[in-house]
């Protein structure tokens, strides 16, 4: 990062964001401003992640990038503001859920179908129809191979979209821990909850279940508003009659289930089986983010971790709004009861950050409606969307607003990325030294500091670019400092296919388009500009945007 002078007159206002737990916008308060701890609920690797998933992951990535930016200001627990002219360290962890949980996770996690079995059928069908990528060797009956297949694809998509945690995890795999490699910690934490009177085991040998006792944690429900009085049997479709046998309260949730038939299972004091969905994140977040020297806490150390009073264990916890209940509600309850000396005063994380859903062309994304896209769908033909444009399209709407993904919006984002690139090219090599934050950096920082107003921040950037026809190396440095937060310009660019007349970017050199370009060239040589404009319009109707570039060629994008 480029150091900035520690001049408080240029410091951005302290970052304020919406805390779901507090139900208000408030300062981001961190325990150690030199090392902010951030946990994101990551993907379930039973299928490819779709663009709605990535909307949430990228919103968290932007927040992480802003907190570590030398342009940002945060608040410490004693109420002081903290600037970091040299940048701020953020340790960001994102889990990989590769345990074969059940399809009824949201309703309890004890019934439905094993997700790995469902994924295996999908792999088998793709294998039979020849739709698997060339060279893929995978056994549809092997859940470990299935998980690694989808995990690798997710990480590849994530890196292409500039998700920093996925990039860093290449050198430090502990930043993206797997649930299957954290089972010992889960068992240790469950045992601690039982010993503290917050969990209990029921059932005979062969069918034992461990539940968390929600009535042992009086604040249960404060994150989502789903209080115990509201969570009566059958309300909201969350609790079913068949899940109630042996429970002390209908809302008690699963920590461990003994099941010898489950495809992925582990030995435990409560029989061979599998963990509940919620317990994994308490373990993977605390074990890595409360570690010293980057080495995760082992099961014994994790089970002994105690945080004074109601102090937060981590600084920031993020996930999609669908994680609020039951996942994060349950995570808070079990974590506070396991780690806090005074559980009812705890919150586990000081800040709870939940981006909203993504719509597609104004409608809910659905495979049956034909508006369901994964990132790799859009990277591939016939879309050929470059990662920078997709990233910008997914981050440019405020995280607390339902974003509407459209193909027109994607084209607009592509044009914006190209405009920023042209600005950099005109500015030349960026200045190596940087004084006080420039006017545009200060305006960008002011917008981002107020609940991550990214639309306002991008608006300030575009306004400045429009007012700067002859950019300088110092301007290039300002844009790069801003893009360190947006994360767009450093991503891979599509390879261009060149012909004698056209430079085709992100699309093939279609013979019909080449014929139109030759016709347009002839018209321009004959100074028939009306015909030239007509051909440009015809190409636009075909879905192609053209731009004349140096050397007498035409840049073509679709």
């Amino acid at each position: 990062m480029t150091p900035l002078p520690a001049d408080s007159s240029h410091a951005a206002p302290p970052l304020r964001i919406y805390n779901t737990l507090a139900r208000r916008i408030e300062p981001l308060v961190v325990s150690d401003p030199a090392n902010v701890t951030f946990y994101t609920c990551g993907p379930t690797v039973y299928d490819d992640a779709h663009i709605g998933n990535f909307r949430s992951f990228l919103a968290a990535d932007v927040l992480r990038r802003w907190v570590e930016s030398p342009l940002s200001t945060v608040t410490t627990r004693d109420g002081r503001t903290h600037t970091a002219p040299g940048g701020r360290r953020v340790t960001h962890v994102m889990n990989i859920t590769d345990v074969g949980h059940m399809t009824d996770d949201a309703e309890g996690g004890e019934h439905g179908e094993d997700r790995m079995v469902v994924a295996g059928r999908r792999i088998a069908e793709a294998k039979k129809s020849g739709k698997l990528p060339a060279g893929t060797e995978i056994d549809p009956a092997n859940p470990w191979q299935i998980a690694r297949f989808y995990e690798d694809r997710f990480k590849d998509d994530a890196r292409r979209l500039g998700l920093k945690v996925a990039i860093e995890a290449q050198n430090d795999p502990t930043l993206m821990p797997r649930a299957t490699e954290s089972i010992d910690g889960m068992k240790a934490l469950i045992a601690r909850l039982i010993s503290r009177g917050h969990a209990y085991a029921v059932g005979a040998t062969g069918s034992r279940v461990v539940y968390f006792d929600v009535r042992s944690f009086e604040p249960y429900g404060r994150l989502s508003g789903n209080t115990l009085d509201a969570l009566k049997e059958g309300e909201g479709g969350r609790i079913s009659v068949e899940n109630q046998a042996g429970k002390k309260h209908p809302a008690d949730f699963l920590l461990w289930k003994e099941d010898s038939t489950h495809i992925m299972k582990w030995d435990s004091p409560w029989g061979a089986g599998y963990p509940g969905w919620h317990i994994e994140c308490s373990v993977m977040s605390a074990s890595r983010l409360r570690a010293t020297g980057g080495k995760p806490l082992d099961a014994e150390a994790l089970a002994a971790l105690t945080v004074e009073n109601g102090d937060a264990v981590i600084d920031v916890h993020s996930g999609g709004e669908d994680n609020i209940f039951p996942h994060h509600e349950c995570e808070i309850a079990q974590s506070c009861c396991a780690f806090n000396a005074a559980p009812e005063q705890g919150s586990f994380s000081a800040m709870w950050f939940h981006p909203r859903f993504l719509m597609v062309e104004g409608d809910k994304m659905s495979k049956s409606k034909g508006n369901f896209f994964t990132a790799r769908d859009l990277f591939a033909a016939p879309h050929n969307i470059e990662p920078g444009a997709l990233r910008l399209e997914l981050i440019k709407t405020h995280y607390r607003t339902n974003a509407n993904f459209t193909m027109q919006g994607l084209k607009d984002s592509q044009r914006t990325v190209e405009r920023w690139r042209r600005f950099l090219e005109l500015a030349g090599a960026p200045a190596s030294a940087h004084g006080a934050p420039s006017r545009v950096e200060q305006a960008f920082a002011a917008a981002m500091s107020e609940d991550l107003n990214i639309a306002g921040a991008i608006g300030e950037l575009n306004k400045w670019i429009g007012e700067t026809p002859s950019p300088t190396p110092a301007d290039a440095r300002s844009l790069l400092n801003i893009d360190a937060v947006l994360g767009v310009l450093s991503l891979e660019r599509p390879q261009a296919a060149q012909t004698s007349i056209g430079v085709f970017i992100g699309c093939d050199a279609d013979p019909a388009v080449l014929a139109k370009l030759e016709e347009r060239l002839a018209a321009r040589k004959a100074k028939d500009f009306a015909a030239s404009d007509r051909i440009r319009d015809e190409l636009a109707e075909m879905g192609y945007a053209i731009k004349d570039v140096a050397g007498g060629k035409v840049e073509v994008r679709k």
Side-chain angles (χ1 to χ4, degrees):
M1 299 177 186
T2 302
L4 300 178
D7 181 352
S8 60
S9 64
H10 296 292
L15 171 60
R16 300 169 70 246
I17 55 178
Y18 186 84
N19 187 348
T20 307
L21 187 63
R23 292 182 175 78
R24 64 173 180 263
I25 296 174
E26 58 184 29
L28 174 63
V29 178
V30 299
S31 176
D32 177 6
N35 182 21
V36 179
T37 54
F38 194 143
Y39 182 80
T40 295
C41 279
T44 53
V45 287
Y46 318 127
D47 202 349
D48 288 326
H50 56 67
I51 57 174
N53 301 137
F54 274 113
R55 196 258 169 143
S56 177
F57 297 146
L58 291 174
D61 184 68
V62 169
L63 172 57
R64 174 257 172 91
R65 286 169 177 260
W66 178 240
V67 172
E68 67 186 6
S69 169
L71 299 173
S72 73
T73 302
V74 299
T75 304
T76 61
R77 286 188 179 178
D78 60 5
R80 293 178 296 121
T81 57
H82 180 272
T83 57
R88 185 179 292 109
R89 177 179 173 79
V90 175
T91 302
H92 190 189
V93 172
M94 172 185 281
N95 71 298
I96 298 292
T97 296
D98 59 345
V99 170
H101 292 306
M102 307 302 283
T103 53
D104 81 330
D105 275 336
E107 284 71 41
E110 297 180 58
H111 300 278
E113 191 173 9
D114 189 318
R115 292 178 186 269
M116 283 297 179
V117 173
V118 175
R121 284 202 303 270
R122 187 186 315 111
I123 292 288
E125 291 168 3
K127 200 171 185 179
K128 185 177 180 180
S129 62
K131 293 181 180 179
L132 282 181
T136 300
E137 293 293 335
I138 183 170
D139 179 358
N142 187 320
W144 308 92
Q145 290 185 18
I146 293 169
R148 293 298 84 79
F149 173 75
Y150 285 117
E151 176 187 339
D152 290 346
R153 287 162 68 90
F154 170 78
K155 288 179 176 177
D156 180 62
D157 289 346
R159 289 190 293 266
R160 294 185 72 184
L161 286 169
L163 199 66
K164 286 193 75 172
V165 65
I167 296 169
E168 292 173 339
Q170 293 179 100
N171 295 321
D172 182 2
T174 67
L175 295 174
M176 296 189 79
R178 295 167 177 157
T180 54
E181 296 173 357
S182 306
I183 300 296
D184 286 346
M186 296 182 213
K187 290 186 288 188
L189 212 61
I190 293 169
R192 189 180 198 190
L193 288 168
I194 292 174
S195 69
R196 286 188 164 194
H198 295 292
Y200 59 94
V202 297
T205 299
S207 59
R208 287 169 289 185
V209 183
V210 181
Y211 292 114
F212 181 88
D213 184 354
V214 293
R215 288 184 295 184
S216 72
F217 184 64
E218 189 275 333
Y220 186 86
R222 63 181 171 174
L223 179 74
S224 63
N226 288 316
T227 62
L228 294 183
D229 288 340
L231 287 172
K232 296 175 182 177
E233 185 176 312
E235 287 193 5
R238 293 293 189 188
I239 301 169
S240 61
V241 174
E242 60 182 336
N243 282 15
Q244 300 317 306
K247 286 188 178 183
K248 294 180 179 180
H249 186 278
D252 290 352
F253 57 87
L254 180 72
L255 296 175
W256 189 272
K257 183 175 182 180
E258 183 179 19
D259 184 353
S260 62
T261 67
H262 200 261
I263 192 170
M264 300 177 85
K265 53 184 175 291
W266 296 263
D267 289 333
S268 83
W270 316 283
Y274 61 93
W277 172 30
H278 314 304
I279 193 69
E280 65 180 53
C281 286
S282 295
V283 170
M284 288 186 279
S285 57
S287 65
R288 180 60 177 83
L289 293 174
R290 297 292 293 199
T292 55
K295 183 179 180 181
L297 302 177
D298 61 22
E300 183 179 355
L302 183 69
L305 175 65
T306 300
V307 180
E308 293 184 7
N309 304 315
D311 289 351
V313 176
I314 61 177
D315 295 318
V316 186
H317 195 309
S318 75
E321 66 174 326
D322 55 330
N323 286 146
I324 294 174
F325 186 84
H327 187 44
H328 288 169
E329 192 73 75
C330 298
E331 192 180 339
I332 289 173
Q334 67 198 13
S335 300
C336 291
C337 291
F339 301 130
N340 284 103
E344 294 186 359
Q345 298 176 25
S347 60
F348 185 46
S349 175
M351 177 66 67
W352 287 87
F353 177 79
H354 292 102
R356 297 200 65 185
F357 290 126
L358 178 77
M359 310 290 282
V360 175
E361 303 289 353
D363 207 349
K364 185 177 180 179
M365 188 163 49
S366 168
K367 290 181 179 179
S368 64
K369 294 177 181 176
N371 66 351
F372 184 95
F373 298 106
T374 67
R376 57 187 47 229
D377 287 337
L378 295 172
F379 294 151
H383 301 291
N384 297 305
I385 302 302
E386 69 166 285
L390 181 55
R391 179 183 171 100
L392 181 59
E393 179 64 15
L394 292 176
I395 68 172
K396 70 183 184 184
T397 303
H398 191 267
Y399 74 93
R400 285 196 295 120
T401 301
N402 282 336
N404 185 31
F405 178 90
T406 67
M407 288 301 172
Q408 182 57 52
L410 196 53
K411 292 178 182 178
D412 294 342
S413 291
Q414 179 65 65
R415 284 194 287 269
T416 298
V417 173
E418 290 169 1
R419 184 186 185 204
W420 295 350
R421 285 185 181 137
R422 287 197 298 272
F423 186 89
L424 273 182
E425 290 168 0
L426 286 172
S432 56
H434 201 311
S438 64
R439 177 180 63 82
V440 67
E441 288 174 270
Q442 293 180 55
F444 180 87
M448 291 296 289
S449 297
E450 187 53 32
D451 198 24
L452 292 186
N453 179 10
I454 194 165
I458 291 173
E460 293 288 351
L461 173 59
N462 285 333
K463 176 184 175 184
W464 169 69
I465 287 176
E467 294 172 348
T468 311
S470 300
T472 66
D475 293 327
R477 173 53 56 196
S478 289
L479 178 52
L480 290 177
N481 285 345
I482 288 171
D483 187 63
V485 178
L486 299 178
V488 170
L489 296 178
S490 61
L491 301 184
E492 67 184 83
R493 300 178 67 168
Q495 293 184 342
Q498 296 202 35
T499 68
S500 60
I501 191 171
V503 180
F504 290 79
I505 301 177
C507 56
D508 295 327
D510 188 315
V513 175
L514 286 172
K516 291 284 186 184
L517 294 180
E518 294 287 358
E519 185 182 345
R520 180 173 176 269
L521 178 62
R524 290 172 66 83
K525 286 181 176 178
K527 298 189 183 301
D528 188 351
F529 298 112
S532 174
D533 291 343
R534 173 180 54 77
I535 296 166
R536 176 189 292 270
D537 292 342
E538 290 172 356
L539 287 166
E541 290 177 3
M542 294 166 64
Y544 293 92
I546 64 171
K547 180 178 71 174
D548 294 305
V549 294
K553 291 191 175 185
V554 181
E555 184 179 278
V556 183
R557 291 181 182 269
K558 189 171 186 179

